[in-house]
Amino acid sequence: MKLILKRPLAFFDLETTGTNLGSDRILEIAVIKLHPDDSEEIKTWRVNPGMPIPLESSLVHGIYDEHIANEPFFEALAQDIADFIGDSDLAGYNSNKFDIPMLMEEFLRAKVNFDLENRHFVDVQNIFHQMEQRTLKAAYQFYCSKDIINAHSAEADTRATMEVLLAQVARYHGTEWEDKKGVRSIPVVGDVEALHKFTNLSKPVDFAGRLVYNEDGEELINFGKHKGKRVEDVFDAEPSYYSWMMQGDFPLYTKRKLEDIHKRWNAKKAVERQNRPQQPKPQQPVQQNFEKKDYQKPQYQNNRPNNNYPKKDDTPAKPVNDDMLKLLADKFKKG
């Protein structure tokens, strides 16, 4: 049974400086674009990460600093990569947890608009792990009876991933599978939308798994002290948690999705405030009106108050004589 494609399906694989979504960078990206008519387009880019490649990473993929010293930075390639992928659905091996979020980090840093909305994501590893529980090398041997030539080169791993998916669709045609709740279904079919649902059972919001959907389609925190709580409930209880995450060492795509939720939450709060009944204004205390009494100005004579004080004696003072001096001397005489 072949894949039934309604639009291209872009298989891709990354080789990187490491596995930290926030600090590591892409070294190589290969994309095989499978069209509905079964035709293929293949492109591979080498990228200068702008940082030294750790030796332990080079030992895995074989790319050393000298191999990418003269290659362009991702910013120079980003638009070309985005245009080549176009509106394709995306497929890869462990792509939901690593390749897609890593690619989105690079696009966001390069300020290239690469929209993940309305795409399907098929993670071949999830089909494999849920049906057989093996690695890519084992998967290739198991499904295709082949060994990967030049393993850990992006193009070789990408082609192996594509061939494994095609073999999985053929192998599990009509095979029943039971989920953790005991529900039986036939999930591995030649339909990308069905494969998208089967390989995204954890329902991540941001691919990195910091935010996930519950069964009602509501976003939940998936780590730390608020794990399992609705994001909007966390915003209600601890509004500063949003700022903490936005300033923290989280992937840029996680922050973008968190920002979308925060904007929606703010809009709801604004509507609630608008629809809240108006509280009556407190009544002002009633001021008593006192009757004005006629005020009688005091009567003055010659600009002075008319008080009944004794009048000043205008008789001229007597001159000092000997008798007056003697009286004063006797009055203040000592002993």
Side-chain angles (χ1 to χ4, degrees), residues 9-291:
L9 181 59
F11 293 83
F12 78 104
D13 184 73
L14 306 177
E15 302 302 337
T16 64
T17 59
T19 58
N20 188 306
L21 296 176
S23 60
D24 281 308
R25 298 292 185 268
I26 292 174
L27 298 170
E28 186 177 61
I29 174 172
V31 181
I32 300 177
K33 193 171 179 181
L34 184 62
H35 292 274
D37 63 0
D38 291 335
S39 63
E40 298 177 8
E41 290 182 84
I42 304 172
K43 275 199 174 184
T44 300
W45 295 266
R46 280 280 177 97
V47 184
N48 187 329
M51 61 181 288
I53 305 172
L55 178 61
E56 56 269 26
S57 298
S58 294
L59 292 173
V60 173
H61 48 56
I63 302 174
Y64 292 82
D65 292 330
E66 58 269 23
H67 296 151
I68 46 79
N70 297 320
E71 299 293 342
F73 295 115
F74 189 87
E75 289 82 354
L77 300 171
Q79 193 61 58
D80 187 28
I81 296 170
D83 290 343
F84 181 73
I85 295 174
D87 64 349
S88 303
D89 293 321
L90 299 175
Y93 195 86
N94 193 32
S95 52
N96 286 359
K97 289 185 178 180
F98 181 73
D99 297 84
I100 292 175
M102 176 64 81
L103 183 62
M104 283 305 302
E105 290 298 292
E106 294 280 25
F107 277 137
L108 288 168
R109 279 190 287 265
K111 295 182 172 55
V112 169
N113 184 24
F114 186 79
D115 193 2
L116 291 180
E117 301 298 327
N118 301 316
R119 293 181 194 265
H120 293 126
F121 313 103
V122 180
D123 192 328
V124 174
Q125 185 190 60
N126 286 352
I127 297 176
F128 183 40
H129 281 184
Q130 289 168 154
M131 300 299 285
E132 301 294 344
Q133 305 289 312
R134 302 282 170 78
T135 63
L136 175 58
K137 183 178 179 181
Y140 197 52
Q141 179 64 44
F142 182 83
Y143 291 107
C144 305
S145 300
K146 298 178 183 179
D147 291 322
I148 302 176
I149 305 301
N150 197 18
H152 293 301
S153 73
E155 186 171 330
D157 288 353
T158 301
R159 178 164 294 281
T161 299
M162 182 179 73
E163 292 184 19
V164 167
L165 177 59
L166 296 174
Q168 285 173 331
V169 171
R171 182 182 184 90
Y172 296 119
H173 176 62
T175 301
E176 194 174 65
W177 176 78
E178 183 177 338
D179 67 14
K180 294 179 181 178
K181 296 181 178 179
V183 177
R184 293 178 176 273
S185 63
I186 300 175
V188 184
V189 295
D191 179 76
V192 170
E193 184 174 356
L195 295 173
H196 162 81
K197 292 178 181 178
F198 187 51
T199 60
N200 290 274
L201 295 178
S202 63
K203 299 180 180 178
V205 175
D206 61 336
F207 289 102
R210 298 292 188 269
L211 308 172
V212 296
Y213 291 108
N214 63 14
E215 293 182 355
D216 297 324
E218 299 170 316
E219 299 92 346
L220 306 179
I221 300 290
N222 195 38
F223 70 97
K225 65 179 181 179
H226 293 305
K227 185 174 182 178
K229 296 180 183 178
R230 293 173 65 248
V231 177
E232 292 191 15
D233 291 341
V234 173
F235 289 162
D236 287 335
E238 190 179 342
S240 62
Y241 198 74
Y242 169 73
S243 297
W244 175 77
M245 283 195 67
M246 293 300 288
Q247 295 170 10
D249 186 21
F250 292 96
L252 295 177
Y253 191 65
T254 298
K255 293 180 179 181
R256 171 182 281 189
K257 300 305 290 186
L258 187 71
E259 185 178 18
D260 291 341
I261 299 168
H262 193 258
K263 286 179 180 178
R264 187 185 67 212
W265 174 77
N266 268 331
K268 286 182 181 178
K269 292 300 176 184
V271 172
E272 289 175 5
R273 288 192 295 269
Q274 189 174 6
N275 295 335
R276 191 177 299 156
Q278 294 285 339
Q279 296 292 332
K281 294 182 179 180
Q283 294 183 350
Q284 298 292 332
V286 179
Q287 295 182 352
Q288 297 181 0
N289 293 324
F290 296 97
E291 294 182 1

